[in-house]
Amino acid sequence: EGESPQESAFKRLKRDFVLSAVLTAPVMAISMAAMTEWFMRAVPLAMSEVNTILFLLTTGVMAGPGRRFFTVAWKLAKHFTADMNTLVAVGTGTAYLFSTVVTLFPRWLPVGHPPDHIYFDTAATIITLILLGRMLEARAKSRTTDAIKKIAGLRPPTARVVREGSERDVPVGEVQRGDIVIVRPGERIPVDGIVERGSSSVDESMITGESMPVDKMAGDRVTGGTVNLSGSIEFRATAVGSEMVIANIIRLVEEAQGSKAPIQALVDRIAAVFVPVVMAVAVLTFLAW
């Protein structure tokens, strides 16, 4: 059985996060240590050489795991729109480019600009933390997909129905509303319906979470996928296929998987206005300077 899109997305994000974290850890460690006096005494390197090491490590983060943010931001920019990816790309890209100029082209800067004002650690850490959040989100979606598969597998492949005065086993997909369905002890109920004859106890924990069996008798509703425990019952099918409770649960979960959280949608709406305004203010500030 092939991987689901959610599982594939989780594996890609996990790989990118691990690579980003491995590269970011030394960037953070060196950046923090370089702020102390003992570091420069203990390490026989000039500040320009330290900055070059940070540049190389951060470039690995930006060109590898962080590339996804810039790819999406560029596609959005071509359509004159923006979202959270644009915020990440602009923020980390600005920090990275400025630090690169300080490291590789210090002559481009005003006279007397301090060589230790770099922000490679900021760019690398932001990308790593956002990848961590997205990886956790992808893992949750992957686990939800597994749960959906398990729920879908609760329905038995066949159902025992009464047709033309005799019992016959038919594929569950051929059960029609109004059919009389017979379920014996220990079998799963194939479709939703209302009990016509017999009485039994039914394990409905997969629907309600309640571990205690529920007594069923004539007139009571039964749900497809639940387990008939004690007695044989005959019920009339009232919901089959996509109309069943299980099918509706799966549909709602899949819709929730494919939709954005309200806060995420709000951030994207804000970003669509915030980013162009900030870019315009930055350009005007540069020209006026």
Side-chain angles (χ1 to χ4, degrees):
E1 185 178 356
E3 290 182 344
S4 67
Q6 291 79 10
E7 292 170 336
S8 299
F10 169 66
K11 289 185 176 180
R12 287 195 303 270
L13 281 165
K14 183 178 180 180
R15 181 190 63 236
D16 286 351
F17 166 72
V18 170
L19 175 59
S20 184
V22 168
L23 294 173
T24 299
V27 172
M28 284 296 299
I30 296 173
S31 298
M32 296 299 102
M35 296 180 184
T36 62
E37 294 182 2
W38 66 265
F39 178 83
M40 299 311 298
R41 292 197 303 266
V43 178
L45 294 175
M47 180 56 68
S48 60
E49 295 173 319
V50 172
N51 290 351
T52 301
I53 294 174
L54 297 178
F55 162 74
L56 294 174
L57 291 170
T58 306
T59 299
V61 175
M62 304 292 286
R67 181 176 56 190
R68 64 174 65 227
F69 300 108
F70 296 91
T71 300
V72 175
W74 173 246
K75 291 179 180 179
L76 292 172
K78 290 193 292 186
H79 293 86
F80 302 99
T81 185
D83 68 357
M84 187 66 182
N85 292 284
T86 308
L87 288 176
V88 176
V90 171
T92 60
T94 302
Y96 173 77
L97 289 176
F98 176 79
S99 302
T100 300
V101 171
V102 173
T103 302
L104 303 182
F105 310 103
R107 295 181 180 179
W108 294 3
L109 299 172
V111 176
H113 187 278
D116 57 344
H117 282 197
I118 58 172
Y119 307 96
F120 288 125
D121 57 332
T122 300
T125 302
I126 288 175
I127 286 178
T128 300
L129 291 177
I130 293 178
L131 285 174
L132 172 61
R134 294 195 175 182
M135 182 191 73
L136 295 175
E137 180 184 5
R139 183 178 67 173
K141 288 185 176 181
S142 177
R143 290 181 174 179
T144 303
T145 301
D146 291 338
I148 290 175
K149 290 180 179 178
K150 291 179 181 178
I151 292 174
L154 292 177
R155 290 190 303 173
T158 61
R160 186 175 297 105
V161 300
V162 178
R163 288 182 180 172
E164 299 176 356
S166 62
E167 299 178 13
R168 63 177 66 177
D169 291 337
V170 300
V172 70
E174 295 182 7
V175 179
Q176 301 176 358
R177 279 190 295 176
D179 279 345
I180 298 297
V181 182
I182 300 174
V183 183
R184 297 185 176 124
E187 296 179 342
R188 286 193 178 273
I189 296 173
V191 296
D192 298 354
I194 298 177
V195 177
E196 296 273 330
R197 298 183 184 84
S199 61
S200 182
S201 295
V202 176
D203 179 1
E204 295 186 333
S205 58
M206 54 80 63
I207 297 293
T208 64
E210 175 58 56
S211 60
M212 295 297 293
V214 179
D215 293 334
K216 299 291 184 180
M217 56 188 63
D220 291 336
R221 291 186 175 274
V222 291
T223 304
T226 57
V227 181
N228 181 39
L229 296 177
S230 55
S232 295
I233 55 174
E234 296 182 15
F235 68 91
R236 185 175 300 277
T238 58
V240 297
S242 61
E243 302 170 346
M244 294 173 54
V245 170
I246 286 183
N248 285 323
I249 291 175
I250 293 173
R251 177 178 54 80
L252 291 172
V253 173
E254 289 177 339
E255 288 177 358
Q257 274 190 316
S259 62
K260 291 184 177 181
I263 186 64
Q264 188 176 3
L266 176 62
V267 169
D268 286 344
R269 288 200 299 271
I270 293 174
V273 177
F274 177 77
V275 173
V277 170
V278 170
M279 295 296 287
V281 170
V283 171
L284 292 175
T285 302
F286 176 79
L287 295 176
W289 200 294

